[in-house]
Amino acid sequence: LAKTTQPISMDSYEGQEVNITCSHNNIATNDYITWYQQFPSQGPRFIIQGYKTKVTNEVASLFIPADRKSSTLSLPRVSLSDTAVYYCLVGDTAYSGAGSYQLTFGKGTKLSVIP
Amino acid sequence: DTEVTQTPKHLVMGMTNKKSLKCEQHMGHRAMYWYKQKAKKPPELMFVYSYEKLSINESVPSRFSPECPNSSLLNLHLHALQPEDSALYLCASSRKAGGGKNTEAFFGQGTRLTVV
């Protein structure tokens, strides 16, 4: 069961703001939205998590509209070192073990930053 | 300490060998995971342990055998693997299983496994 849908790839120039959108039409009431970054041959790294509206930390912002059927990861002023694959996952703390979709990675978005 | 440590970093094994991958965390997390990742593909969930009990086995062949000796350690025992099992094996942990609030997963750097 595909839980999330993202663009396969995106290109951006250094210094630009990049917005990556994730669609999660079947998000459940208790689900949180979590984004990870992965560099080649490394484990994914947590970036940001949110439930609704806007969340900001030192590396990114996460925008979630009222219907929560999508979310947008915003990376301000990207640099070459932001070239990576970005994954969004949705999951629920009240995990019952009945399904593994909360822990399942979708295809992700490969971001290429161009000098 | 926010690290998940995996050993070894690289492993080459023959199809008749038995080997083990190890994973360790000291963050007090009660959920631990094994993922398999092939080149240019997303991580693929294999097993989930929650409070040291196996809670998910994603139809993984029996040649992969997980073990959780205690809340800080996770092993993956390998036996009679096939060349197509060559991949990056990732271990992760989180405060609780499920992916909800404050349960973000911390990943190790992985073990690059080559089966010859």
Side-chain angles (χ1 to χ4, degrees):
Chain A
L1 176 64
K3 185 77 171 174
T4 61
T5 304
Q6 301 174 234
I8 295 296
S9 64
M10 294 180 71
D11 293 335
S12 176
Y13 288 101
E14 274 192 294
Q16 288 190 329
E17 178 184 76
V18 169
N19 296 310
I20 305 174
T21 297
C22 179
S23 172
H24 27 80
N25 290 319
N26 297 319
I27 191 168
T29 302
N30 294 329
D31 282 345
Y32 279 72
I33 301 151
T34 309
W35 285 79
Y36 292 87
Q37 174 193 56
Q38 187 178 26
F39 299 113
S41 298
Q42 293 188 25
R45 183 177 72 102
F46 169 80
I47 301 174
I48 198 166
Q49 182 181 73
Y51 183 80
K52 62 180 179 181
T53 62
K54 178 184 173 183
V55 180
T56 298
N57 63 22
E58 62 275 8
V59 297
S61 294
L62 180 59
F63 298 92
I64 305 166
D67 67 7
R68 304 201 327 120
K69 292 185 185 299
S70 67
S71 59
T72 299
L73 174 73
S74 181
L75 304 172
R77 296 180 299 282
V78 294
S79 64
L80 295 176
S81 62
D82 293 315
T83 293
V85 179
Y86 292 82
Y87 296 99
C88 96
L89 280 71
V90 294
D92 174 11
T93 301
Y95 174 69
S96 66
S100 63
Y101 66 88
Q102 297 102 322
L103 309 163
T104 300
F105 284 77
K107 292 184 167 60
T109 298
K110 181 174 169 53
L111 173 65
S112 298
V113 179
I114 307 161
Chain B
D1 182 4
T2 58
E3 274 196 3
V4 174
T5 303
Q6 289 189 243
T7 55
K9 287 186 169 38
H10 300 274
L11 178 63
V12 179
M13 61 184 290
M15 289 188 283
T16 58
N17 290 161
K18 286 185 182 180
K19 296 286 185 183
S20 296
L21 309 184
K22 296 185 184 303
C23 175
E24 192 168 358
Q25 58 86 14
H26 296 287
M27 294 178 275
H29 289 173
R30 302 313 299 271
M32 296 188 77
Y33 316 84
W34 280 116
Y35 286 85
K36 171 184 176 180
Q37 187 172 28
K38 304 280 271 186
K40 300 189 188 303
K41 298 288 187 184
E44 185 182 325
L45 184 67
M46 300 174 73
F47 302 105
V48 179
Y49 273 84
S50 181
Y51 292 87
E52 295 98 73
K53 287 186 168 42
L54 182 65
S55 66
I56 289 181
N57 175 343
E58 286 285 12
S59 303
V60 179
S62 59
R63 57 186 184 269
F64 295 92
S65 175
E67 178 197 18
C68 189
N70 59 56
S71 61
S72 299
L73 295 174
L74 186 65
N75 298 321
L76 186 63
H77 303 298
L78 313 172
H79 173 54
L81 295 193
Q82 304 296 311
E84 59 265 29
D85 296 320
S86 298
L88 182 67
Y89 287 84
L90 294 162
C91 173
S93 71
S94 63
R95 188 175 64 87
K96 290 173 61 175
K101 184 179 181 182
N102 297 327
T103 62
E104 62 268 23
F106 291 76
F107 284 80
Q109 292 297 294
T111 294
R112 175 71 61 189
L113 174 68
T114 303
V115 181
V116 297

